[in-house]
Structure formats: C-alpha cells, structure tokens
C-alpha cells in the first residue's frame, strides 16, 4: 500500500474522508499516514507544545492493526485508521488525567471517558493527547503542568483555551480529528483563534463523563466534513452521562446541502454581546463581510439586539469562582500552592461571598438561558463574532490579564452553553497581521445538523483561505 507523494497533498494534510477512501482503494496505508502525522508533530512540537502523552510507537501499533483490518476488507468502524487526538481532560484508561494542573494527583484512569471510548471503538488512531490550562479555567494555553502552548499562525500568540492544544494541533496538521470540551467557549474560542472549525453540540448530544451544566465535548477539525464525520461516532449513546439526550440516528452524512441551504433563511446578526470587551474593528468588519456573503446567497440577515448583560456574565463568573474556591480549599496546602496563581487569585476572591450573593449569581445561568432562547427564537440561525478580539499574547492567562475581569471575552460564546443550543466557529477572515477571525453560527436547540449544514454552506462561499501555517525552520 503506497502512493506517489509527488502528485498528492502531504499525507498529514488529508482529511478523514480522503483517507478513508484511500484506505478502501488500498492506495494508502494507515501506517504511512500515521508516520507522516508523527513527522509533522515532531517538526512542530518544539515550538508549539500542543501535545501530552505523545507516544509514536503506540500510535503505530494502532495503525498496523488498522492496516491489517483494511487488508482483510474488515474496517472496525467509521474512523478506522484516521489519526486523532484527545484533550487532556478526556480520560483514557491507564493514563492519568492531570487537568492541566501540577496540583492534580497523577492517578491512572480506570476507564475511557465516552469520547475516548467512541474514537477507539471506531478504529481511530489516537496519536496523542493535547494540552489545556489549569482545570480548564482559562482561554489560553497557560498551565502549571504542561509547557506553554502556542498558536501556529503566530508563535507569540496563544491558541486559546481551554482546548488549547487541540486547536493548535488541528491548525498545525497533527492529523484531521481532534476532540475538545467547552463550558463557556473552550471549543469555539481556540477554533476561532486558530482558524479551524469546531461544533459545540447541543448539551447532551455527545455523552461526556463527568457531565456538568453547560459542559460539552465536540470535534475540532480543519473542515466541516470532518466534524460531521466525528459527530456520527461521538454522538453514540453512553449511560454514564446522566444529562445526555436520547440517542437519535441523525443523518450526519447529509451535512452538505450546498449553498441552497441558505436561501430564504432568516439569520440574526449579533455584533454586540451586551457585556464584556468591545468588538475590535477588524473583527466587526470580518463578521459584516460574512453577513454580506450570507445575503448574497439568499439569506435574510437582520440585526439582533444584545441579550446578554454584564450582570449575567458577572453572575456566572462569581458562581464559578465559588465552585473553584471550594475545590481548591479542599486541597492540602502543598497541592493548592501548585495551582496557577492567577486562578488561585480568581477563586479566592470568592471567599467573602455570602449565601445570597452566591444564590443570586447562580440564577444568572437560568436568566442567560431564557434571554438567549427568546432572542434567537425569531431567527433560523444567529451569526456573531466568536470572540471580540483575535488571539492574544501566549503568556497571558486572559485577554485582560486581570483575574477579577477574566471572562470579559466570552460574551458571545457562553450564552449558548447555558441555552443548550448548538454553536460552531468557522474561519471567516484574517486580521491585517494575518491572525484568523472566527464566525460563530448558532442554531436552535437540537439542530446540530442544521448548524453543520449552514457551516458547510458558508465554507463554500467564504473568501479564499490562506495556506495553513508551516513548522518553523530548524
């Protein structure tokens, strides 16, 4: 099983659909592809630091087993032989789950978490796990456990977070399939800042363990097609998620309805989150350009007034501070001292909150949900910036670098976690300095396939994309 690489794209650049077709035709082997992905990772990693538990030999063992299945004409599942990665916080049996923090005890996990189990059952080659910040509580790659992750488009910038390594890995060509998680924007923010695609599904669409209000796992890929393919596997049922939706046999392979999908759609254009940092001019211009492309394709785009408030954002922030404060307070002092100081300061600021304050803060989750559903109900889909600014300095924990104002950049993303609506980020342009700009596409609750279809339509009409970044010369 070999190929003439002079007439085909680099193997690490190929999407999952192309790889699977090549495996069926026996023009490519999963071993060749995995070897190419390993070489790409080895070229990038000294600068990017996106991986954890990068184990080439284990990956090659998986690839050899996949090759044997394909040679027999008996692939194991939808993703057999396709390289992928899993975020640090998605447990894999026998491996510790550090959650990005030096404060976490490295105890081997007893079992694969649902997304890991589904990828393995489908035959995917797990090349590596990917990095995240302490406890996933930052939109950056800053961690006390992992080396500092960076953005392949500009190594002075961060990839975003908390699915930091996954976003960087997808943009850098570490294979086509990556899984991250999201509770306030942690799939979409790194997707937007790294120029890739990600879908935060409806709450419960992809089983996850442990479940939590607003928490979702999702695909992070270079193309809509690869995310749709992953959804067919990741959305399979798992009883461990007590918040999961009843399983639906959704026609994920119908993600491509062409540009006609947009004709007649009523689309809300949200340019002001109503809270947090203002949208920078370059970001606004790119979103307005995307809106114009939707209109040219036959959609009706209408302005949507902001529905979030600063009180909603602050309330969620204060509730999460108290949750983290209690968690950290339960640690032995020596362990707590290992937590990133920025997160310690953020969490400990809740020490003086009284019961009524925390209760009122907790109510902002529900108020956010009500506001989001009501505002979006007049539209088929809502588009907005994924974030109000492009990628920021890699060394910073947040755009403001202020733990008491650390969530000012999630005003566009967090409401859709709380409303349980599917929301994606897709690249829609670049800043003058060449950084990607993410467009968020949100749909009604349970309309995950529709969001994929609208995303694919936009993928077809958006302006020309720049080449993916290449590893620095050594």
């Amino acid at each position: 099983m070999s190929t003439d690489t002079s007439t085909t794209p680099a193997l690490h650049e190929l999407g999952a659909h192309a790889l699977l077709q090549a495996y069926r035709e026996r023009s490519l082997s999963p071993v060749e592809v995995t070897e190419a992905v390993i070489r790409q990772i080895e070229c990038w990693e000294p600068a990017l630091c996106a991986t954890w538990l990068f184990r080439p030999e284990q990956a090659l063992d998986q690839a050899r087993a996949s090759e044997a299945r394909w040679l027999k004409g008996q692939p194991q599942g939808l993703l057999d032989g396709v390289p992928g990665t899993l975020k640090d916080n998605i447990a894999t049996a026998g491996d510790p789950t550090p959650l990005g923090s030096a404060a976490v005890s490295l105890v081997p996990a007893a079992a694969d978490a649902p997304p890991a189990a589904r990828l393995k059952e489908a035959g995917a080659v797990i090349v590596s796990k990917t990095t995240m910040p302490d406890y996933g509580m930052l939109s950056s790659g800053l961690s006390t456990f992992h080396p500092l992750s960076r953005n392949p488009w500009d190594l002075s910038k961060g990839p975003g977070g908390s699915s930091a390594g996954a976003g960087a890995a997808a943009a850098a060509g570490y294979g086509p399939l990556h899984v991250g998680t999201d509770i306030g924007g942690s799939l979409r923010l790194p997707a937007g800042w790294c120029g890739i695609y990600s879908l935060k599904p409806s709450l419960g669409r992809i089983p996850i363990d442990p479940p939590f209000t607003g928490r979702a796992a999702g695909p992070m890929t270079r193309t809509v097609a690869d995310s749709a393919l992953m959804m067919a596997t990741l959305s399979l049922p798992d009883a461990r998620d007590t918040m999961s939706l009843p399983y639906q046999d959704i026609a994920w392979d119908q993600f491509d309805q062409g540009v006609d999908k947009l004709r007649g759609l009523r689309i809300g254009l949200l340019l002001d989150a109503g809270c947090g940092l203002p949208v920078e001019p370059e970001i606004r211009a790119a979103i307005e350009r995307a809106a114009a492309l939707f209109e040219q394709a036959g959609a009706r785009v209408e302005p949507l007034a902001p529905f979030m408030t600063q009180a909603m954002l602050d309330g969620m922030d204060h509730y999460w501070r108290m949750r983290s404060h209690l968690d950290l307070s339960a640690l032995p002092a020596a362990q707590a001292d290992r937590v990133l100081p920025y997160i310690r300061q953020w969490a400990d600021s809740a020490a003086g909150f009284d019961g009524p304050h925390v209760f009122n803060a907790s109510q902002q989750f529900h108020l956010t949900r009500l506001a989001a559903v009501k505002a979006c109900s007049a539209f088929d889909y809502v588009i907005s910036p994924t974030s109000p600014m492009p990628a920021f300095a890699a060394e910073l924990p947040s755009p403001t670098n202020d733990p008491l104002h650390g969530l000012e950049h999630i005003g566009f993303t967090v409401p859709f976690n709380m409303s349980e609506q599917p929301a994606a980020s897709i690249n829609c342009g670049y800043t003058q300095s060449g950084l990607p700009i993410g467009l968020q596409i949100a749909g009604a609750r349970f309309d995950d396939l529709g969001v994929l279809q609208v995303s694919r339509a936009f993928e077809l009409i958006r302006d020309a994309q720049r080449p993916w970044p290449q590893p620095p010369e050594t």
Side-chain angles (χ1 to χ4, degrees), residues 16-17 79 176-178 196-200 206 218-234 252 255 424-425 452 455 459:
H17 290 268
L79 305 176
L177 310 180
H178 309 272
I196 64 166
Y197 182 77
S198 183
L199 172 68
K200 181 208 75 67
I206 293 176
M220 302 181 74
T221 61
R222 287 185 169 187
T223 65
V224 176
D226 282 352
S227 280
L229 183 64
M230 291 182 78
M231 288 300 296
T233 292
L234 293 174
W252 300 108
F255 71 93
S425 180
L452 284 167
S455 299
E459 195 174 43

Side-chain angles (χ1 to χ4, degrees), residues 128-143:
S128 181
K129 298 191 80 172
T130 52
T131 60
M132 63 183 283
D134 284 55
Y135 297 100
M137 295 310 298
L138 299 175
S139 294
S140 79
L142 190 60
S143 165

Side-chain angles (χ1 to χ4, degrees), residues 370-430:
L370 294 177
V373 171
K374 181 179 179 181
C376 295
S377 63
F379 302 97
D380 298 306
Y381 300 92
V382 169
I383 61 174
S384 73
T386 301
S387 66
M389 84 290 293
F392 54 95
E395 294 79 10
L396 295 182
S398 71
T400 61
N401 195 27
D402 179 355
L404 302 186
H405 297 90
L407 302 185
E408 300 297 297
H409 56 290
I410 69 170
F412 288 106
T413 52
V414 71
F416 299 114
N417 293 80
M418 301 314 143
S419 66
E420 306 185 14
Q421 295 171 246
S425 180
I426 187 168
N427 194 58
C428 70
Y430 305 87

Side-chain angles (χ1 to χ4, degrees), residues 124-192:
V125 174
I126 309 302
V127 179
S128 181
K129 298 191 80 172
T130 52
T131 60
M132 63 183 283
D134 284 55
Y135 297 100
M137 295 310 298
L138 299 175
S139 294
S140 79
L142 190 60
S143 165
T144 56
F145 182 83
H146 302 296
L148 178 63
S149 301
R150 296 181 180 273
N151 191 318
W153 292 92
D154 180 343
L155 292 172
S156 74
K157 307 297 184 185
S162 64
S163 303
Y174 290 17
L177 310 180
H178 309 272
V179 182
T181 61
D182 187 319
I183 200 170
S186 291
L187 286 163
R188 290 155 290 159
L189 291 167

